[in-house]
Amino acid sequence: MRAVLALPFLAFATLALPASGLVGPAQAQAVAAAASDAAVHRLAERLSRLAEDGLDPRWYAVPAADLAAADPARFRAETLRAAQAALTDLLLGRAGPIRGRVDLRRDTAAVPLGAWMAELASASDPATVIDRAADLPPDARALKAELARLRALAAAGGWPRISGNTRGTLEPGTMDAARVPQLRARLASIDPGLVEGPAANNPLYDDRLLAAVRLYQAAEGLEPDGRVGPITWDVLNTPIESRINQLRVALDMRRAQPAQPTERRIEVNIPHFRLHLLEGQRVVQDMAVIVGRRDRQTPMLNVRLTSVTFNPSWGAPERNAREDLLPRFRRDPAAMQAAGYRLFQRIDGEVVQVDATQVDFSNYNRNHFPYFVRQDAGDRNALGRMRFNMPNNDDIFMHDTPDRHLFSRGQRAFSSGCIRLERPMELLSEALSGTAGWDRARADRVLAGRATTGATLARSIPVRLHYTTTIVEGGRVVMRTDIYGLDADYARAMERGTPQRIASAEGGNARGAAAR
């Protein structure tokens, strides 16, 4: 349980916890004299249902109902103590700081924790205070309804895991006695007819099953082509417990949310592979993006877009050169040079260009490759025709790409960490707005000229790269795969919790609330 060290309550008596950690009978009477025994029982019962809010009742040592008969004063004291700790988590968020998650936002100083605690202390029915606090996070009701649905499904056994060859692709129209019946059972929630009567064991991937697969793929943000490949198999086999934890994380991430910014800004949601350019709450642009692979993750960042480079060259990072480009040089060095790739080596302190066709690449591997690689500007350049610069220590930027076909994919974690843009020219038009001497016509001329040119923006734009797998659109919960495992990390942080230290209260607002 997260310990509450001191709780000043406006005009109410301050609750000081004894060394034992228990609230004594006198304190219990002073803190909640307005609450009847029945109301305290209702409070204990409500705390036992904190799982519906994404919390775990075991974190708060909620007393068992039989303690009320054996020791009523202790039951009251322990119930109130549990309620105070749970209320703190419901208002301020359970999880503490997580390394690298600069995208997580809380404004605990804006939460009037002292006033809430005072209300809990004086309420005739304190369970209603817990109810109201639990419904505060944005979209809480929709998220909790989906959490209840998945918990009920889990209690009934969850969904079946598909075994066998889940690395190979199952094509529509094929016969597969091992995988097709399992796929039917997995998608029976979409179409119960898939498992009715003889259909249950039908090994043919028929049109009815194809329709269910396409519906499932579309709902999961996958390419709805009906081909069941490794990505679709992995999503199908996501344990229901993982989805439940994603909803719990979504609820906790929304607690103590700061006011939404009103300025123009860019937000990139990594697991949804989307970029939004926003003016206040209005979406000005919405486009698909490609983000970092699992082994080369896009970091969470709060930065500013400051300039644009037209016709950029690309200095390949060392890891890309060793792991990605070396095998291609080994296969066809002449083709690599034709694609604009240049090889350089440092000799006697000088960097000199090397003819790739004269190098025996079989002598090198990913652990030994003494060359630098640069790709000339051009249509085949890995950065495309423009780079959007946002200074940061991770050398991450947004850019165009020649690989336009990848935007048709559902899951788009293909890059080495940078953000590839579906419609870079549209973002460019917005970014250059107000920059003297620059408009779309000039940008087109510069791009056509092929020379590397830069433009500094008159107004830099805040950019937030964030990781939010679960969103609510039109009242509907939309979940995406926890591609980097960051929701799983957050769920573990919720298990650990964060000790709260309430330093003082003025006007009902707790200040110095939490070291986060």
Side-chain angles (χ1 to χ4, degrees):
M1 186 186 85
R2 188 158 77 177
V4 180
L5 302 182
L7 295 170
F9 286 163
L10 299 176
F12 294 84
T14 298
L15 172 64
L17 300 185
S20 65
L22 296 177
V23 179
Q27 289 90 345
Q29 184 177 1
V31 168
S36 65
D37 289 344
V40 175
H41 276 276
R42 284 194 297 273
L43 177 60
E45 189 277 332
R46 177 60 181 88
L47 295 174
S48 71
R49 292 187 287 107
L50 283 168
E52 68 190 38
D53 309 303
L55 303 177
D56 189 336
R58 293 174 297 182
W59 294 337
Y60 309 102
V62 181
D66 56 10
L67 180 62
D71 192 338
R74 184 179 176 191
F75 176 76
R76 174 179 287 261
E78 292 191 6
T79 299
L80 292 168
R81 185 185 61 182
Q84 291 157 359
L87 183 60
T88 303
D89 283 353
L90 287 169
L91 293 171
L92 303 185
R94 169 75 184 179
I98 300 175
R99 185 176 181 181
R101 293 300 305 273
V102 299
D103 60 315
L104 298 177
R105 302 184 299 185
R106 295 201 203 279
D107 185 3
T108 56
V111 178
L113 184 59
W116 277 91
M117 289 294 179
E119 185 178 357
L120 180 70
S122 62
S124 60
D125 192 0
T128 62
V129 180
I130 299 296
D131 284 334
R132 286 193 296 107
D135 282 341
L136 281 178
D139 305 317
R141 293 191 177 184
L143 293 169
K144 292 200 304 183
E146 181 65 5
L147 179 59
R149 186 185 74 84
L150 289 189
R151 285 192 186 278
L153 187 58
W159 48 63
R161 181 174 179 82
I162 298 171
S163 59
N165 179 18
T166 56
R167 297 296 92 190
T169 299
L170 179 65
E171 301 283 356
T174 59
M175 302 282 287
D176 192 314
R179 293 182 296 177
V180 168
Q182 294 184 79
L183 185 59
R184 291 178 179 277
R186 175 66 177 84
L187 298 181
S189 60
I190 294 176
D191 181 0
L194 294 173
V195 292
E196 290 177 353
N201 296 313
N202 182 1
L204 175 64
Y205 186 180
D206 56 18
D207 289 343
R208 186 164 186 172
L209 181 56
L210 174 60
V213 168
R214 284 177 169 163
L215 282 173
Y216 178 82
Q217 288 174 322
E220 294 292 334
L222 305 173
E223 191 174 358
D225 57 4
R227 303 177 72 245
V228 187
I231 292 176
T232 300
W233 290 123
D234 285 346
V235 177
L236 285 162
N237 277 336
T238 299
I240 194 169
E241 293 78 15
S242 295
R243 288 297 174 96
I244 288 171
N245 275 339
Q246 284 182 257
L247 288 163
R248 295 174 60 230
V249 166
L251 280 162
D252 200 66
M253 283 176 61
R254 286 163 167 78
R255 293 180 174 122
Q257 281 289 285
Q260 290 291 335
T262 58
E263 63 184 333
R264 184 174 67 151
R265 66 197 185 280
I266 294 169
E267 298 207 351
V268 179
N269 188 338
I270 303 300
H272 280 256
F273 312 107
R274 303 301 302 179
L275 176 148
H276 290 123
L277 175 65
L278 300 158
E279 293 272 7
Q281 299 308 302
R282 183 173 68 92
V283 177
V284 178
Q285 288 186 2
D286 176 2
M287 72 178 72
V289 297
I290 292 169
V291 304
R293 302 170 352 204
R294 284 183 176 89
D295 60 336
R296 298 183 191 175
Q297 298 178 12
T298 299
M300 304 307 111
L301 295 174
N302 290 313
V303 291
R304 299 188 78 89
L305 173 59
T306 59
S307 64
V308 180
T309 303
F310 300 95
N311 301 310
S313 61
W314 180 49
E318 184 177 344
R319 181 176 182 181
N320 295 69
R322 293 170 181 267
E323 297 181 6
D324 304 335
L325 301 181
L326 172 57
R328 295 171 61 186
F329 272 112
R330 189 180 289 128
R331 286 193 299 270
D332 195 339
M336 290 295 283
Q337 287 193 156
Y341 288 97
R342 308 292 175 224
L343 208 62
F344 297 88
Q345 188 175 27
R346 190 178 298 277
I347 299 176
D348 295 330
E350 288 190 38
V351 175
V352 298
Q353 186 171 344
V354 177
D355 184 350
T357 62
Q358 302 303 308
V359 175
D360 183 357
F361 289 99
S362 65
N363 291 328
Y364 305 111
N365 56 48
R366 62 191 301 169
N367 297 315
H368 175 53
F369 187 54
Y371 297 98
F372 310 100
V373 181
R374 189 190 71 197
Q375 188 182 21
D376 296 338
D379 293 335
R380 300 173 69 179
N381 185 276
L383 306 185
R385 302 303 301 278
M386 68 192 73
R387 182 181 71 215
F388 294 81
N389 305 307
M390 41 192 201
N392 60 87
N393 293 330
D394 296 288
D395 198 24
I396 296 297
F397 43 84
M398 300 183 291
H399 62 90
D400 183 19
T401 175
D403 298 322
R404 313 304 303 172
H405 65 284
L406 293 177
F407 289 106
S408 66
R409 305 282 185 88
Q411 286 201 3
R412 294 185 293 275
F414 300 122
S415 84
S416 292
C418 289
I419 306 293
R420 304 180 196 172
L421 302 170
E422 179 186 26
R423 298 191 300 277
M425 290 302 293
E426 292 185 17
L427 182 61
L428 177 67
S429 295
E430 289 290 337
L432 289 177
S433 175
T435 301
W438 283 95
D439 55 18
R440 177 65 180 266
R442 182 182 176 187
D444 288 339
R445 291 195 301 272
V446 169
L447 288 170
R450 305 287 173 158
T452 300
T453 306
T456 299
L457 305 186
R459 294 186 301 158
S460 64
I461 305 173
V463 179
R464 176 175 174 246
L465 309 185
H466 67 100
Y467 193 93
T468 308
T469 64
T470 305
I471 63 175
V472 178
E473 292 183 333
R476 184 174 68 93
V477 175
V478 179
M479 302 180 70
R480 293 293 178 257
T481 300
D482 184 13
I483 54 173
Y484 295 166
L486 299 190
D487 275 4
D489 290 343
Y490 192 105
R492 286 189 286 271
M494 288 179 67
E495 289 290 335
R496 294 191 298 269
T498 300
Q500 294 291 323
R501 192 179 325 203
I502 309 304
S504 64
E506 291 184 8
N509 286 298
R511 301 192 309 174
R516 290 185 177 276

